[in-house]
Amino acid sequence: MKSLTTLRNPDNLKALIKFILFSGFGLFMFMFPMPGQESFATPISLITDLTDQYLQETTPYLLLLIITIAVLGIFIAKLFRPTILTEKLWLKDLFFVDNWIMITKIIALIVTLCVMFDIGPEIIRSEDNGATMVGLAKTLIAIAITLSFILPFLTDCGIMEFVGVLLKPLIRPLFHVPGRASVDLIASWLASSNTAVLITATQYNSNYYTKREAATIMTNFSLVSIPFCLVVAQTLNLAHIFPLLYLTITGIGIFLAIIGVRLYPLKNIADTYCHGAGEKLNEEVPEDKKLFHWALSAAIERSKNFRLSKAFCDGLKMTIGIVLDIIPIVVAWGTIGSLLVNCTPIFYWLSYPMGLYLQLLGVSEAFTIAPATLVGFIDMFIPALIMPSDLSEQGKFIVGVLSLVQIIYMTEVGSIIVKSNVGLGIKHLFIIFLQRTIIAIPIVVLISKLI
C-alpha cells in the first residue's frame, strides 16, 4: 500500500471524495437509525421491508420460480454441461453441485409446492413447519436484492480499511482477527446477523480474510440485531427489562468471542486465503506514520479501485447466488428442523443432560427450560416460542439470553456459513453451538438472579 503523501495529487483527492461520499452512503444505509419509526430501523431494513411487501404482493410465485430454476439448472448441468455454465466459475459453482445439495434443493421444491398450492401432508405445509420456512425464504429474497447492491458501499469504498487500521490494536489481540472485522460486528448489531455473515463471506472471497479469520468472525461476530432482540424480549414478556437483557447479551457475546477463538475447531482452521497468497491488508502502522493518517491512506488506496459498474455486476452475481443457492437450503433444512422440534420428542430426550446442568446450577425449572437450550441450533426464535406462558421471569430471561448469544442457527446463518467454504461443516457448527451454550449458561443464570 502506498502512503498518502499529499492531497494535491488529483488521483488521491478524487479517491478521498469517493471514500467520503460512497462510504458515508454505506454507513448511512446500514447503521443510521431512522427517526419516526415504531421500533429501531435503519434505511436498509426499511427498504428491505418495502421490497418484501412489494414482491409478495406482485410476484407471489417468485420463490417457486427461483427454486424450480435452481433444481432444473442442476439437472441441465449434469446432463448437458452447457458451455455457459462450465466457463463462468460463479455459475459453475451454483449448478455443478454434490448430490446432497441436489437432494436438498429437491426437498425445498417439494415443500414449496406443498405450501403454495396447499397440497400434500398437512404436517409439511402447516404454519409451524413448511409454511414458516417458505415465508422466511420470501423475506430472504428481499434481503438478497437490497443487501447485494448496497453492500459494496460498505465493503469496497475504504471504510473497512479505515476502521481496520484504527481498531487493529484492540481487535487483533482479543479476537485474533483483523480490525476491519469490527464493521461486520456493528452491521450485525444494527442490521442483522445475516448481513454480517454475508459481509464476511464477501470479504473472504475477495481475499481480505483468511479461512480461519472468516470462520471466527462468522461464528462469533454475527450477533443478533437490536430489533430482533426486542422482538424476542416482547415474545417472552421481558420488554420491561430490555436494557438488562441486551447488556447481558452484549457482554456475554464479547466474552464468548474471546474464549471461542482459542478453542477447537476455530483455532485449528488453516490461515489460508480463498485465492492463493491473498490480498491481505497491512494494518501495521509504520513507525514514521501517525495512526489516523495511515488509516486514511489505506482507505484512499482502497477507494481508488471502486467502480459503480463493477459494484452493480458484483451485486447481481451475489443476488443470484443467494436466491439460487442459499434460499433452497433454508427451506429444506428449516422444514426438517421444525418437524424434528414440533413433531418428535427428540429434543426433549437430547436435552436431558442440559436439564441436569441447569438443575446443578440451581435453576428451579431446569427441565422445562432444557429443550430451549438446544432447539436454537435450528432457529433462534424457536426457544421463545416453545416455552410455556407460566414460565417464571428468571426462566424466560435465561431462555431469551441463551437463544440470542448462541448465534449458530441453521435456518439462515448456519446455511450461509456451510456454503461459504470456510472450513466449517454442520458438525463443527454444532460443536461451536454447544461450546457457546455450555459456557454461557452459568453466567446467564448468575445474572438472572438479579431480576
Side-chain angles (χ1 to χ4, degrees), residues 241-393:
I241 56 169
F242 182 73
L244 175 62
L245 180 81
Y246 195 75
L247 182 62
T248 302
I249 292 166
T250 303
I252 293 177
I254 294 172
F255 177 73
L256 290 175
I258 295 172
I259 299 295
V261 301
R262 292 163 171 82
L263 301 176
Y264 171 88
L266 290 177
K267 73 171 186 178
N268 289 24
I269 297 176
D271 256 322
T272 56
Y273 286 90
C274 181
H275 307 293
E279 196 175 286
K280 189 173 183 179
L281 169 70
N282 180 14
E283 293 180 345
E284 297 292 339
V285 181
E287 292 183 0
D288 60 336
K289 302 294 181 182
K290 294 182 179 180
L291 180 65
F292 180 83
H293 289 166
W294 190 250
L296 188 60
S297 296
I300 289 175
E301 288 299 318
R302 176 68 167 144
S303 67
K304 286 180 180 179
N305 299 319
F306 181 78
R307 300 288 184 276
L308 287 174
S309 57
K310 184 178 183 301
F312 178 81
C313 291
D314 290 345
L316 185 62
K317 291 178 182 178
M318 186 176 180
T319 300
I320 294 172
I322 293 173
V323 299
L324 293 182
D325 200 18
I326 295 174
I327 286 178
I329 293 176
V330 169
V331 174
W333 290 7
T335 301
I336 293 171
S338 297
L339 287 169
L340 290 175
V341 172
N342 297 317
C343 305
T344 74
I346 187 168
F347 277 95
Y348 288 89
W349 298 339
L350 293 175
S351 66
Y352 187 78
M354 287 297 187
L356 294 176
Y357 185 33
L358 289 163
Q359 189 178 57
L360 182 65
L361 293 170
V363 178
S364 59
E365 299 160 304
F367 290 96
T368 302
I369 295 172
T373 64
L374 295 184
V375 297
F377 187 64
I378 305 298
D379 186 271
M380 68 173 64
F381 201 41
I382 295 178
L385 295 176
I386 66 172
M387 287 295 97
S389 58
D390 60 349
L391 189 68
S392 69
E393 192 167 83

Side-chain angles (χ1 to χ4, degrees), residues 126-338:
S126 71
E127 286 295 331
D128 291 334
N129 301 311
T132 297
M133 293 305 126
V134 167
L136 173 61
K138 290 179 179 180
T139 300
L140 285 177
I141 295 173
I143 292 175
I145 293 172
T146 54
L147 177 69
S148 299
F149 292 100
I150 299 177
L151 186 60
F153 291 94
L154 193 66
T155 60
D156 299 345
C157 298
I159 192 62
M160 296 193 78
E161 284 72 12
F162 183 73
V163 173
V165 172
L166 291 179
L167 294 186
K168 184 256 181 184
L170 175 66
I171 301 297
R172 174 64 73 178
L174 283 179
F175 307 113
H176 297 174
V177 295
R180 64 195 290 118
S182 56
V183 177
D184 302 48
L185 176 62
I186 296 170
S188 70
W189 272 351
L190 301 182
S192 69
S193 51
N194 289 331
T195 298
V197 173
L198 289 170
I199 289 173
T200 306
T202 302
Q203 293 290 285
Y204 169 66
N205 289 324
S206 300
N207 272 22
Y208 281 96
Y209 292 139
T210 67
K211 185 171 290 189
R212 182 196 57 77
E213 289 169 348
T216 297
I217 296 164
M218 287 177 171
T219 54
N220 288 282
F221 279 53
S222 304
L223 292 175
V224 182
S225 67
I226 294 174
F228 189 83
C229 288
L230 185 57
V231 170
V232 172
Q234 291 170 338
T235 303
L236 291 168
N237 294 319
L238 295 175
H240 60 288
I241 56 169
F242 182 73
L244 175 62
L245 180 81
Y246 195 75
L247 182 62
T248 302
I249 292 166
T250 303
I252 293 177
I254 294 172
F255 177 73
L256 290 175
I258 295 172
I259 299 295
V261 301
R262 292 163 171 82
L263 301 176
Y264 171 88
L266 290 177
K267 73 171 186 178
N268 289 24
I269 297 176
D271 256 322
T272 56
Y273 286 90
C274 181
H275 307 293
E279 196 175 286
K280 189 173 183 179
L281 169 70
N282 180 14
E283 293 180 345
E284 297 292 339
V285 181
E287 292 183 0
D288 60 336
K289 302 294 181 182
K290 294 182 179 180
L291 180 65
F292 180 83
H293 289 166
W294 190 250
L296 188 60
S297 296
I300 289 175
E301 288 299 318
R302 176 68 167 144
S303 67
K304 286 180 180 179
N305 299 319
F306 181 78
R307 300 288 184 276
L308 287 174
S309 57
K310 184 178 183 301
F312 178 81
C313 291
D314 290 345
L316 185 62
K317 291 178 182 178
M318 186 176 180
T319 300
I320 294 172
I322 293 173
V323 299
L324 293 182
D325 200 18
I326 295 174
I327 286 178
I329 293 176
V330 169
V331 174
W333 290 7
T335 301
I336 293 171
S338 297

